[in-house]
Amino acid sequence: MDAKRELTSVDLAALVTELGRYEGAKVDKVYLYDDDMLRFRMRDFDRGRVELLIEVGDVKRAHVADPEHVADAPGRPPNFAMMLRNRLSGADFAGVEQYEFDRILVFEFERDDEDTTVVAELFGQGNAAVLDESGEVVRSLETVRLKSRTVAPGSQYGFPDSRVDPLTVGYDAFVRRMEESDTDVVRTLATQLNFGGLYGEEICSRAGVEKTLDIADAGEAEYEALYDAIGRLADRLREGDFDPRVYVEDDRVVDATPFPLEERSGLAAEGFDSFNAALDDYFYRLERDPEEETTGTERPDFEAEIAKQQRIIEQQEGAIEGFEEQAAAERKRAEALYAHYDLVDEIISTVRAAREESVPWEEIEETFATGAERGIPAAEAVLDVDPVEGEVTVDLDGTEVPVDPSMGVEKNADRRYQEAKRVEEKKEGALSAIENTREDLAAVERRRDEWEADDGDGEDEDEPEEPRDVDWLSMSSVPIKQPEHWYEDFRWFHTSDGFLVIGGRNADENEAIVKKYMDGNDRFFHAEAHGGPVTLLKATGPSEKARDVDFPDTSLHEAAQFAVSYSSVWKDGRFAGDAYMVEPEQVSKTPESGEYVEKGGFVIRGDRTYFRDVSASVSVGIQCEPETRVIGGPPSAIEPKAATTLRLEPGKFAQNDAAKRCYREFKERFADQSFLRKVASPDRIQEFLPPGGSSIVEE
C-alpha cells in the first residue's frame, strides 16, 4: 500500500477541531523551508512552545509538531518568510477554518495594527497565500491565473468553485446528488459527494451497502443507511470524538486517521491521544522510512539545488522585466493625459457635473454611447464606465487610461507617475532579491566544489583529520552557516565549558526566562544592582532530559560576569560590581505581605552565593565555525571561539555608535566584505553590547 502523502477533507475537518485549542497563542517567528513548508513558532500560555507546520509541496499537511520533530531553522530567511515575520510577529492566532469541505485551511491572525489571513491550499499543486484585512493577496508561494480564480499579489483572493459539503447536506439533496450519478455507489460518494476513495469505501462499509452497487439499483433503504453513516461521521467530527490511529504495513507507516477505520482493519495500528499527535508522528516517520534514508555519506544533489536557484533567478529576472514594462506603461499613461489635456478635462467635467446632479452611472454610460454615435470626440474616447471603482477608461491614441473624475487631469497624471515610482521601487527590491539568490547559487557551487575536492582525497579517509588552522580574515569567500536557535530571543552566550547562559533585555524577557525556561537544575544569577538582567546558567535545553550538573567554576564566574556587565553597573560607568547565585526554588514571584514585586522582578529567599568585584568587561567577535555569527559576552568565553574579537569596557560612546565603531573595525580585518555585511551588521553587533556607553579597549 502506498503511504498517504496528502490529508483528506475528513482529516482537515478533524484537524480544525483540535487546532482551535491553540487560539490565543502568540506568534514568535515564521520560517520557510524549501519553498513549500511554513513553520509558525508560537507561544501558548498553557502549553508553552507551539510549532505549527503547513506543507504544500509533494507532501500536503498541517498540524502542530513536537519541537523535537522540527528541523533546524534555515540559514537566511527568504523574502516570503520575512514578510510573514513583519506581519505576524507578536500576533495572536485567532483560529482556523476549513473552507467548505475542500482541502483548504484558512488561518486567522490578529494584531493591533493589522490582521492577516493565511490560506493553505492542500490540493493539486499546493499553495499558500497571505491576505490582508480586505482579502487582497499580499503574497503567495505560487501565482495562479485561471478563468475561474486568481491568486496573485494585489488581487482579491479567489477560492475554488463551491463543492457540496456532505457533512451538512440535507437528505433530499443527498438523494438527488446520488441519483444524478451514472456509476456505482462508492464512486458517487467519492466524486459527487467529495469524500474521496478511502472514506467513500468506509461509509459503504459502515452503512452495510455494497460498494459496487449500481446507482440505478440503489433504493431508499440504501440511501437512508448511507445518509445515517455520514451523519454519525459528521457528529464525531463536530464533537471532537476522536480515537486516532497510525497504520503500519511492513514496518512502514501508511496512514493516519482521526478514528479507527474498517477499511484499515487488516493493518497494524497504533493509538494516540490526539489527531495532531498522530499526524505529527506519521509524517515524522514517513520522512524517515528505511527506503528513504541516506547513509550520511551520499553525495548531496548539488545539481538539483543549482537548477532550483537558476529557476528562481529566471523568475526574478522575469519579474524585473515585468516591473520595467509596468512602470513604462504608467509613465506613458501620464504623458498621454497631458498630451490630450483638453479632451480628458472635458470628459472629467461632464462626469463630475452629472454626478453632482445624482445622475446614475448607467445613464452617464448611455450618454457617452449616444455621443459617440453622433461623433463627439470626447464621447468616442470613452471605452468603459466603471460604477464600482468610480472610474472612466479612455482611449488616448491607442493608450488606455483609467481616469478618476473626482480629480483633475494633473492629479490623475500625478497618480500615474506615483504608480510608476512605486513599481520601480518594487523593481529595486527585486534586484536586491536576485543578488541574494545569485549569492545562494554561488554558495551551492562552492559547496559542490569543496565536496568534490574532499572526495578526491579518498586514500586518507581512514586517518584522523588534522585540525585546520584557517585564516578566516583573509579568505575571499567565507561560507555562511547560520541556523537559528530558540535562545536568540534573549541575550546569550556559551561558557568556556559549553554551557548556555541566557539573560533578559527587559522586564518581559525576565518574566519569560523565569516562567518558561528556568528548570530545577539551572542556576539563577543577578547583579547586586537595580536594573540587571535575569541570568540563567542552563543545565539542559528545553527539549532535553533534566539532569543534575556540577557546573565548573569557570562557567559560574562567566555567568556572574555576564550578569554584572549587562546591568546598571555598566550603565553607571563602573568597572566592577557584585553578583549572586541561587537555586531556582529560591526564586519566587510571591512577595511578603504588604510588599509589591514589579514586572520583571522576583523575590529571592534563602542563602545566596556571592561573586565579589566582578569585572564589567565584554568581548564581541565574529565566529566562523561551526557557525557564522556575531557572538558576545565574557572575554574568556568569547575570545577563544571567534576568528577575531574586540574587547569593550564602560565608556563614552552610546550603544549604537559603539556598534558602528566595532563594525568599521571588523570591516578592516575581513577580506570578505559581503560575508561581514550579512552576519555582522551594526544592528547585530549592538544586540551584544551592554546598555549605556562603551569604549573599545586598545590592545
Side-chain angles (χ1 to χ4, degrees):
M1 178 187 297
D2 292 336
K4 175 165 73 177
R5 305 183 70 82
E6 300 181 3
L7 297 184
T8 68
S9 293
V10 173
D11 293 336
L12 295 185
L15 186 65
V16 164
T17 300
E18 290 194 350
L19 288 178
R21 301 167 188 169
Y22 297 93
E23 288 185 20
K26 283 201 175 294
V27 179
D28 283 335
K29 277 189 178 180
V30 184
Y31 306 86
L32 177 63
Y33 296 76
D34 299 328
D35 295 327
D36 61 16
M37 187 172 82
L38 288 167
R39 167 189 165 198
F40 297 79
R41 192 182 75 192
M42 303 188 288
R43 290 173 287 112
D44 182 84
F45 181 79
D46 296 319
R47 298 173 178 84
R49 178 178 166 189
V50 177
E51 297 282 6
L52 172 64
L53 303 182
I54 302 173
E55 190 169 4
V56 295
D58 292 336
V59 171
K60 296 178 178 65
R61 56 167 169 156
H63 58 84
V64 169
D66 185 320
E68 293 186 1
H69 292 174
V70 177
D72 290 339
R76 182 180 61 207
N79 291 336
F80 190 90
M82 290 304 298
M83 173 274 298
L84 273 173
R85 290 185 185 184
N86 290 336
R87 294 187 67 90
L88 296 184
S89 179
D92 292 328
F93 173 47
V96 58
E97 293 183 352
Q98 180 182 17
Y99 176 70
E100 296 182 345
F101 192 62
D102 214 332
R103 286 179 289 163
I104 298 176
L105 292 180
V106 182
F107 296 85
E108 300 290 351
F109 299 90
E110 296 178 352
R111 201 169 67 180
D112 290 341
D113 58 335
E114 60 184 352
D115 296 342
T116 300
T117 301
V118 177
V119 182
E121 299 181 357
L122 304 175
F123 64 90
Q125 298 299 312
N127 200 4
V130 181
L131 318 182
D132 64 15
E133 293 173 318
S134 68
E136 183 176 296
V137 178
V138 178
R139 197 156 183 177
S140 56
L141 291 179
E142 301 291 339
T143 298
V144 178
R145 297 187 186 277
L146 304 172
K147 287 185 178 180
S148 58
R149 61 190 294 253
T150 299
V151 181
S155 68
Q156 285 290 308
Y157 177 82
F159 283 100
D161 292 339
S162 294
R163 294 155 49 101
V164 171
D165 184 349
L167 304 182
T168 60
V169 69
Y171 178 73
D172 292 340
F174 165 74
V175 172
R176 283 197 302 273
R177 277 281 177 174
M178 296 294 289
E179 291 181 338
E180 287 171 358
S181 174
D182 59 0
T183 184
D184 57 27
V185 169
V186 70
R187 289 188 176 88
T188 304
L189 289 170
T191 58
Q192 300 300 312
L193 274 295
N194 304 312
F195 272 115
L198 174 61
Y199 281 95
E201 294 179 350
E202 181 69 17
I203 288 166
C204 287
S205 296
R206 295 187 179 197
V209 174
E210 178 59 42
K211 300 172 188 175
T212 58
L213 179 67
D214 194 282
I215 284 293
D217 298 326
E220 187 172 345
E222 286 80 14
Y223 290 146
E224 287 180 351
L226 292 168
Y227 189 74
D228 182 61
I230 293 172
R232 293 195 303 272
L233 177 70
D235 289 342
R236 294 192 67 173
L237 291 170
R238 214 167 15 247
E239 296 166 5
D241 179 18
F242 305 143
D243 186 9
R245 293 288 186 273
V246 168
Y247 291 98
V248 180
E249 183 180 57
D250 297 330
D251 297 324
R252 296 175 55 249
V253 293
V254 293
D255 202 355
T257 62
F259 20 67
L261 300 185
E262 294 183 19
E263 292 300 307
R264 295 284 187 254
S265 59
L267 298 176
E270 301 172 15
F272 287 82
D273 292 335
S274 70
F275 189 39
N276 252 303
L279 289 175
D280 178 39
D281 179 83
Y282 174 79
F283 284 107
Y284 182 70
R285 291 161 66 181
L286 179 67
E287 295 171 356
R288 287 155 181 78
D289 274 341
E291 62 188 33
E292 297 181 16
E293 288 181 354
T294 62
T295 64
T297 60
E298 293 179 7
R299 182 182 187 276
D301 193 352
F302 293 114
E303 286 69 27
E305 181 63 20
I306 288 171
K308 173 183 173 182
Q309 297 297 338
Q310 289 172 336
R311 285 196 304 272
I312 293 173
I313 290 172
E314 290 175 4
Q315 293 169 356
Q316 290 170 328
E317 288 174 339
I320 290 169
E321 291 177 6
F323 291 144
E324 290 173 346
E325 293 172 0
Q326 189 177 348
E330 292 296 345
R331 285 193 294 271
K332 184 178 179 181
R333 291 188 182 104
E335 292 162 2
L337 288 170
Y338 279 119
H340 300 82
Y341 189 102
D342 292 340
L343 179 70
V344 177
D345 186 57
E346 182 181 348
I347 295 170
I348 289 174
S349 299
T350 300
V351 176
R352 187 180 295 170
R355 293 300 295 157
E356 288 174 354
E357 296 295 328
S358 300
V359 176
W361 285 100
E362 291 78 7
E363 290 188 19
I364 295 173
E365 187 174 18
E366 291 173 3
T367 300
F368 279 124
T370 302
E373 291 174 357
R374 293 165 51 191
I376 300 173
E380 289 179 325
V382 175
L383 296 176
D384 182 57
V385 175
D386 187 346
V388 176
E389 297 295 332
E391 291 183 339
V392 177
T393 301
V394 297
D395 180 0
L396 306 176
D397 284 346
T399 301
E400 295 185 8
V401 187
V403 173
D404 184 350
S406 68
M407 57 181 71
V409 179
E410 295 90 346
K411 286 190 176 181
N412 269 285
D414 183 64
R415 190 171 72 161
R416 295 298 154 194
Y417 282 126
Q418 291 300 320
E419 179 62 15
K421 182 179 178 181
R422 186 186 71 83
V423 173
E424 285 171 340
E425 289 173 353
K426 291 174 67 175
K427 172 190 168 186
E428 292 304 314
L431 287 170
S432 176
I434 200 171
E435 187 60 33
N436 290 336
T437 308
R438 286 179 176 137
E439 291 174 359
D440 291 342
L441 174 61
V444 177
E445 291 172 337
R446 282 198 303 272
R447 292 202 305 272
R448 177 196 59 190
D449 295 342
E450 290 170 1
W451 177 280
E452 292 174 350
D454 291 342
D455 198 40
D457 299 330
E459 64 273 11
D460 299 325
E461 62 185 29
D462 290 333
E463 298 180 10
E465 184 179 346
E466 292 294 326
R468 294 187 306 162
D469 186 14
V470 181
D471 184 3
W472 299 103
L473 302 184
S474 62
M475 284 182 65
S476 60
S477 179
V478 180
I480 295 177
K481 297 161 287 185
Q482 199 172 17
E484 295 192 32
H485 304 287
W486 66 269
Y487 47 76
E488 292 179 77
D489 290 341
F490 308 104
R491 294 193 190 280
W492 64 274
F493 78 99
H494 285 95
T495 71
S496 301
D497 309 297
F499 291 98
L500 173 67
V501 175
I502 59 174
R505 293 188 180 92
N506 50 48
D508 287 334
E509 291 189 5
N510 284 347
E511 295 270 350
I513 286 174
V514 170
K515 290 181 178 178
K516 296 185 179 180
Y517 296 101
M518 186 168 70
D519 297 319
N521 296 315
D522 299 339
R523 297 294 183 270
F524 177 101
F525 288 78
H526 201 281
E528 188 77 341
H530 184 73
V534 161
T535 300
L536 277 189
L537 174 57
K538 295 289 297 174
T540 54
S543 59
E544 295 176 345
K545 187 176 180 180
R547 57 189 172 91
D548 192 16
V549 173
D550 184 14
F551 292 106
D553 287 343
T554 50
S555 290
L556 298 177
H557 282 87
E558 286 169 354
Q561 186 174 20
F562 179 89
V564 168
S565 297
Y566 291 94
S567 73
S568 58
V569 169
W570 188 288
K571 198 170 185 179
D572 294 341
R574 294 184 282 148
F575 290 84
D578 298 338
Y580 62 83
M581 175 184 74
V582 296
E583 305 282 338
E585 58 264 24
Q586 295 177 249
V587 182
S588 172
K589 192 69 179 173
T590 306
E592 298 292 345
S593 178
E595 294 181 351
Y596 169 75
V597 178
E598 62 185 14
K599 187 174 185 179
F602 300 90
V603 177
I604 307 298
R605 295 187 172 92
D607 295 336
R608 310 179 186 192
T609 300
Y610 281 92
F611 298 82
R612 302 293 185 184
D613 294 322
V614 178
S615 171
S617 177
V618 302
S619 286
V620 291
I622 312 300
Q623 185 181 38
C624 294
E625 63 175 0
E627 298 178 1
T628 45
R629 61 175 70 249
V630 180
I631 56 175
S636 60
I638 300 304
E639 291 172 358
K641 300 172 186 171
T644 184
T645 61
L646 291 169
R647 189 174 294 193
L648 296 100
E649 61 184 15
K652 62 181 180 179
F653 297 107
Q655 194 182 49
N656 60 333
D657 292 332
K660 292 175 183 176
R661 285 174 174 268
C662 291
Y663 176 76
R664 287 195 291 269
E665 180 64 33
F666 287 137
K667 191 174 179 182
E668 292 179 2
R669 299 182 183 184
F670 275 92
D672 186 356
Q673 300 292 295
S674 173
F675 158 79
L676 189 65
R677 283 195 303 272
K678 291 175 184 175
V679 304
S681 65
D683 287 343
R684 293 191 179 186
I685 293 171
Q686 186 173 338
E687 292 178 4
F688 292 90
L689 300 186
S694 300
S695 292
I696 298 174
V697 178
E698 298 296 332
E699 298 179 359

